[in-house]
Amino acid sequence: MAASVCRVGSTVGRALAKSRSPILLSLRRGQASVSYAQSLLGAPETRLTALDNGLRVASEETGHATCTVGLWISAGSRYESEKNNGAGFFLEHMAFKGTKNRPQTELEQQVESMGAHLSAYTSREHTAYYMKTLAQDLPKEVSFEAEIEQQRGVVLRELEEVENNLQDVCLDMLHATAFQGTPLGNSVLGPSDNARTLTRQDLVDYVNSHYKAPRIVLAAAGGVNHDELVTLAKSHFSGVSFEYEGDAIPVLSPCRFTGSEVRMRDDGLPLAHIAIAVEGAGAASPDIVPLMVANSIIGSYDLTYGGGKHLSSRLARLAVEEKLCHSFQAFHSSYSDTGLMGIYFVTDKERIEDMMHWSQNAWMNLCTTVTESDVARGKNALKASLVGQLNGTTPICDDIGRHILNYGRRIPLAEWDARIDAVTPRMVRDICTKYIYDKCPAVAAVGPIEQLPDYNRMRSAMYWLRF
Amino acid sequence: MCLKCETCKASSDWYDISNHDIVGFSYLLEQLINNINKNLFNQGCKRFFAILTLNSNVPHEGIRLAHTDVKIPDFSDYRRNEVIDPKKSSQESSDSRRAFSYLLTGASTVVGVYMAKTVVTQFVSSMSASADVLALSKIEIKLSDIPEGKNMTFKWRGKPLFVRHRTEKEIATEVAVNIAELRDPQHDKDRVINPRWVIVLGVCTHLGCVPIANAGDFGGYYCPCHGSHYDASGRIRKGPAPLNLEVPYYEFPDDDTVIVG
């Protein structure tokens, strides 16, 4: 009796699920309403249109009640020079402060009354300004007329704040040393000198040379209508210029990677933050998927993980059994033509040497003995994380913006899935060997790092004599 | 933050440091100390003693620059030519750079190992026999100095060496001896290279005395200690000695000289 009720219930539920009504889906509590393969194929398509001036408009109508809309611009600290390093970050603070037509208070009131969130971020190659709101009228242009002096203080305060976030400090120093002498080595925040001396003219110059229509994407996700969005874009953004002064189109030159190290020793800090990385693959490189799978095999860990010594990543298991670290994560930051693939870990000052040894050991295993089951596990973990990250309109919108800037199109989950499925253990081994084996790493360390081995020892651990 | 001068007990007021947007603790301390000194002086304290007790949440007093102010130095002076240009990827040249380094290391290792081997051999071989000892190990004898029938004794390796110029009669006698009768059977031709010359060690095989030449019952040598008789070939014929006189290694580079040893 109970079984037949369940059967009826599940059939009804399945039928309702096909109609994609969110309320009725709850009748299928406890069972997956759509299979993974179905969900991949059923994902809504991202529509892309380009305006006459080159500005691209992309959106995905996901059926959510809210939406995120924003501008993704191909500008960042990589485009800055020593003199104006930090301009992009400064600019980010000038955003949302009012326009000629609407003063700041009015803009804020409007935004607050809508219940919307304005947000922005600057990274080395991208800048984004976006707003999360109900699926209603979207905000107009972003303005930079605001009071620069006021923002100067804010920026300096933020510089001070960031010093407490040792993960950011460590990874910034990693970039600074790995890409020394190149624009990728510049931090997004810029030096404090620049924060004190940048003028309005510097910011205006920055905007004029980088905020050009072909490098801007208006992306939206959620309950948006693509045609409506295009109309809005035409009316507000047709004026964005696409010509450069003096035809000086900034071309990104390759950035040289230098195997090197930087140590910021401070024995007063409680924990050591250390990152070791090799040069990785650029966003458009075909090697990126096997490298992402490789990173999933190493995985991540921190003290809150409940798996204990049953965690599947070997390094995580060792971290628990030998109490090697407080946390670690394998990361891959990819830029347009290069990247940094590495492991970042936070550990006690007495365990640094052991943790470094086992991290590099994990890399060597990837290059030599990675097995079928490791790769299968890595692939599954990667697929799960790719899907899991797209859990709201903002992550989806961000995904759209970044993909259009990096690849010129949105890469759908089904394609990621296919590319991940194509990875074999031999491929992982070969590609990891190509990027990791016997290469000079870049190392950045902050904190009580006396125990960190000498660079030559870390360099020697990048190969095994038995091979 | 409250400060008190230890000497004159003048105290200062609270100093507000929250308005400083300077990143860098040393500048802060400098400012603070300047302010302290000014105030204490105004209050009549002549000795500028200020004890700073910092109520900071952080248990240490480190100084750290803003990390974005830290400049990675320019190492162009030390870079190889292929990686001087920051606008060129270092991947292309990485194989050749690595090959060069490994080649240099390999070659240095080989040279180093060879040098080590040489040094070690020199030290070990210093323990072997010295030149003067080696020089003593061979003796060169001019045979024309020894008349026929005469036995000459030389000191060689600390032992007496008998060189006997045999007559034809002696040779014939020794050759004709029946080996079966001998205690230590050895044919004469096995004991000499040139039958005219017998070269033996003058050490009696019994207990080591030196036999007397041209003595004894067999026309050879006689050991006076215990009465061992040797013949003209140095073989034991009578007496307590068990073995024949030892024949050392020798060679004749030419007819007139023999080198023994």
Side-chain angles (χ1 to χ4, degrees):
Chain A
M1 171 65 181
S4 51
V5 166
C6 281
R7 262 201 302 277
V8 168
S10 67
T11 329
V12 168
R14 219 174 304 143
L16 289 170
K18 286 219 181 73
S19 73
R20 301 189 128 245
S21 172
I23 303 161
L24 298 173
L25 275 174
S26 56
L27 279 173
R28 286 269 298 171
R29 252 169 289 161
Q31 287 183 39
S33 44
V34 256
S35 76
Y36 174 62
Q38 282 173 324
S39 71
L40 282 187
L41 294 170
E45 187 203 329
T46 309
R47 295 181 55 192
L48 175 64
T49 332
L51 297 185
D52 289 333
N53 60 0
L55 192 136
R56 285 165 288 184
V57 181
S59 76
E60 181 180 314
E61 193 165 345
T62 60
H64 283 102
T66 59
C67 76
T68 305
V69 120
L71 287 172
W72 267 255
I73 304 158
S74 180
S77 67
R78 189 171 175 179
Y79 294 86
E80 293 165 3
S81 69
E82 296 260 337
K83 283 202 301 295
N84 69 350
N85 181 210
F89 184 68
F90 218 106
L91 216 47
E92 191 199 312
H93 282 265
M94 310 284 285
F96 313 129
K97 296 286 182 256
T99 76
K100 274 200 276 279
N101 303 329
R102 257 179 313 158
Q104 176 172 359
T105 41
E106 206 187 300
L107 177 70
E108 278 175 3
Q109 262 174 6
Q110 262 204 329
V111 168
E112 290 297 306
S113 64
M114 277 199 288
H117 294 283
L118 287 172
S119 192
Y121 71 77
T122 328
S123 79
R124 291 189 154 83
E125 283 187 333
H126 304 310
T127 310
Y129 302 93
Y130 58 96
M131 177 163 122
K132 296 187 269 203
T133 177
L134 290 176
Q136 282 180 15
D137 263 347
L138 321 167
K140 320 313 175 197
E141 57 265 39
V142 186
S143 152
F144 317 112
E145 307 290 330
E147 186 56 61
I148 209 174
E149 293 308 316
Q150 203 184 22
Q151 296 313 313
R152 215 188 281 287
V154 174
V155 170
L156 283 170
R157 187 81 62 243
E158 239 186 275
L159 274 176
E160 229 179 294
E161 281 292 313
V162 93
E163 291 307 313
N164 289 329
N165 181 349
L166 292 173
Q167 174 168 351
D168 280 351
V169 170
C170 182
L171 292 173
D172 260 353
M173 292 313 298
L174 182 70
H175 280 84
T177 192
F179 293 114
Q180 54 187 256
T182 71
L184 263 182
N186 293 336
S187 156
V188 171
L189 301 159
S192 56
D193 267 346
N194 285 7
R196 280 184 224 122
T197 58
L198 277 176
T199 62
R200 187 179 174 282
Q201 190 53 42
D202 291 322
L203 298 184
V204 168
D205 287 340
Y206 181 80
V207 170
N208 285 339
S209 42
H210 297 297
Y211 283 32
K212 296 292 178 195
R215 290 160 67 174
I216 302 182
V217 173
L218 177 68
V224 290
N225 183 289
H226 186 74
D227 301 312
E228 231 181 78
L229 192 65
V230 173
T231 324
L232 269 174
K234 280 206 182 99
S235 60
H236 295 290
F237 292 114
S238 300
V240 177
S241 138
F242 55 90
E243 279 164 347
Y244 293 89
E245 250 161 87
D247 273 336
I249 304 173
V251 168
L252 280 184
S253 39
C255 285
R256 165 195 68 190
F257 174 91
T258 309
S260 52
E261 66 169 3
V262 60
R263 297 173 184 231
M264 287 176 76
R265 180 170 170 183
D266 183 351
D267 284 347
L269 291 173
L271 295 170
H273 298 244
I274 299 170
I276 179 170
V278 289
E279 188 170 9
S285 158
D287 295 334
I288 205 151
V289 173
L291 285 177
M292 281 159 71
V293 172
N295 270 347
S296 305
I297 294 175
I298 297 183
S300 62
Y301 163 81
D302 73 51
L303 285 174
T304 63
Y305 279 33
K309 58 184 183 347
H310 303 292
L311 287 167
S312 36
S313 153
R314 199 160 154 270
L315 188 58
R317 217 172 45 238
L318 283 164
V320 172
E321 287 173 347
E322 312 288 330
K323 299 201 195 2
L324 287 180
C325 64
H326 284 231
S327 72
F328 77 80
Q329 65 188 80
F331 65 88
H332 190 318
S333 313
S334 54
Y335 303 102
S336 53
D337 54 357
T338 181
L340 274 184
M341 166 167 168
I343 300 180
Y344 163 80
F345 58 89
V346 177
T347 179
D348 202 50
K349 67 178 192 249
E350 307 281 337
R351 304 261 194 276
I352 299 174
E353 199 174 348
D354 286 341
M355 183 62 197
M356 181 57 82
H357 167 78
W358 288 113
S359 303
Q360 295 186 296
N361 185 276
W363 268 351
M364 288 300 103
N365 276 328
L366 279 180
C367 298
T368 57
T369 62
V370 72
T371 62
E372 187 67 61
S373 70
D374 284 331
V375 172
R377 176 176 59 79
K379 277 155 60 167
N380 286 337
L382 183 61
K383 286 182 200 170
S385 79
L386 280 179
V387 171
Q389 272 163 23
L390 298 175
N391 62 349
T393 58
T394 308
I396 295 178
C397 190
D398 187 51
D399 203 50
I400 295 174
R402 278 185 303 106
H403 278 205
I404 309 278
L405 288 178
N406 274 333
Y407 309 111
R409 62 183 179 99
R410 172 99 190 278
I411 300 190
L413 276 178
E415 187 177 332
W416 281 120
D417 199 65
R419 290 175 72 177
I420 293 172
D421 274 332
V423 172
T424 63
R426 150 119 286 162
M427 212 194 266
V428 171
R429 264 182 297 205
D430 288 344
I431 290 183
C432 286
T433 307
K434 174 177 162 195
Y435 285 93
I436 299 173
Y437 197 80
D438 202 16
K439 294 270 187 269
C440 292
V443 182
V446 180
I449 52 174
E450 182 180 1
Q451 211 193 41
L452 187 67
D454 185 68
Y455 186 80
N456 289 307
R457 301 262 23 93
M458 293 192 284
R459 174 65 181 83
S460 306
M462 302 295 285
Y463 60 86
W464 270 349
L465 286 172
R466 50 190 112 152
F467 279 92
Chain B
M1 195 173 302
C2 214
L3 306 130
K4 213 165 140 73
C5 176
E6 279 292 277
T7 318
C8 67
K9 307 299 174 201
S11 70
S12 61
D13 296 327
W14 284 90
Y15 286 100
D16 185 9
I17 57 166
S18 61
N19 277 338
H20 293 266
D21 64 344
I22 315 288
V23 182
F25 211 65
S26 54
Y27 185 90
L28 211 61
L29 282 175
E30 233 176 78
Q31 289 273 58
L32 212 49
I33 289 174
N34 287 339
N35 279 333
I36 294 163
N37 287 338
K38 206 163 38 171
N39 205 2
L40 288 174
F41 185 71
N42 290 342
Q43 291 191 23
C45 168
K46 301 286 184 229
R47 290 181 65 191
F48 302 107
F49 249 96
I51 311 287
L52 222 56
T53 53
L54 290 167
N55 288 323
S56 85
N57 296 332
V58 187
H60 72 292
E61 292 168 28
I63 296 174
R64 210 158 21 107
L65 291 182
H67 73 275
T68 46
D69 286 340
V70 172
K71 292 228 78 59
I72 304 278
D74 177 28
F75 290 113
S76 306
D77 288 341
Y78 301 92
R79 284 182 181 272
R80 293 194 202 173
N81 291 336
E82 305 96 318
V83 286
I84 286 187
D85 183 6
K87 294 197 176 27
K88 224 174 80 154
S89 162
S90 56
Q91 286 287 25
E92 294 124 49
S93 57
S94 93
D95 281 338
S96 73
R97 281 182 286 126
R98 211 196 337 267
F100 174 76
S101 292
Y102 283 171
L103 184 67
L104 215 59
T105 313
S108 314
T109 312
V110 168
V111 170
V113 167
Y114 183 69
M115 276 169 55
K117 177 234 171 203
T118 308
V119 169
V120 168
T121 345
Q122 280 170 355
F123 275 103
V124 170
S125 63
S126 74
M127 293 193 284
S128 59
S130 61
D132 61 338
V133 169
L134 287 173
L136 289 176
S137 74
K138 283 192 204 256
I139 186 169
E140 195 178 318
I141 300 166
K142 202 145 160 275
L143 296 170
S144 52
D145 290 339
I146 308 175
E148 214 174 89
K150 183 92 165 34
N151 181 83
M152 276 199 78
T153 314
F154 300 92
K155 181 166 179 235
W156 177 72
R157 294 189 183 177
K159 292 176 281 219
L161 183 76
F162 291 157
V163 181
R164 192 194 184 100
H165 189 170
R166 292 201 291 198
T167 60
E168 292 298 332
K169 206 154 88 60
E170 282 172 343
I171 298 171
T173 319
E174 298 307 330
V175 169
V177 168
N178 183 1
I179 302 168
E181 292 172 1
L182 294 171
R183 183 177 302 158
D184 181 11
Q186 245 187 329
H187 200 280
D188 183 61
K189 66 178 185 304
D190 294 330
R191 291 176 58 77
V192 293
I193 295 175
N194 178 348
R196 287 183 57 220
W197 299 96
V198 160
I199 300 172
V200 288
L201 280 177
V203 176
C204 180
T205 53
H206 177 233
L207 288 179
C209 292
V210 181
I212 301 165
N214 290 323
D217 298 339
F218 295 84
Y221 305 91
Y222 170 73
C223 180
C225 295
H226 306 98
S228 300
H229 298 256
Y230 298 87
D231 62 20
S233 183
R235 294 175 289 194
I236 181 68
R237 299 300 277 273
K238 195 156 95 172
L243 298 169
N244 302 334
L245 291 176
E246 189 187 333
V247 179
Y249 175 79
Y250 59 89
E251 51 192 27
F252 293 92
D254 55 61
D255 279 336
D256 196 30
T257 25
V258 63
I259 296 182
V260 183

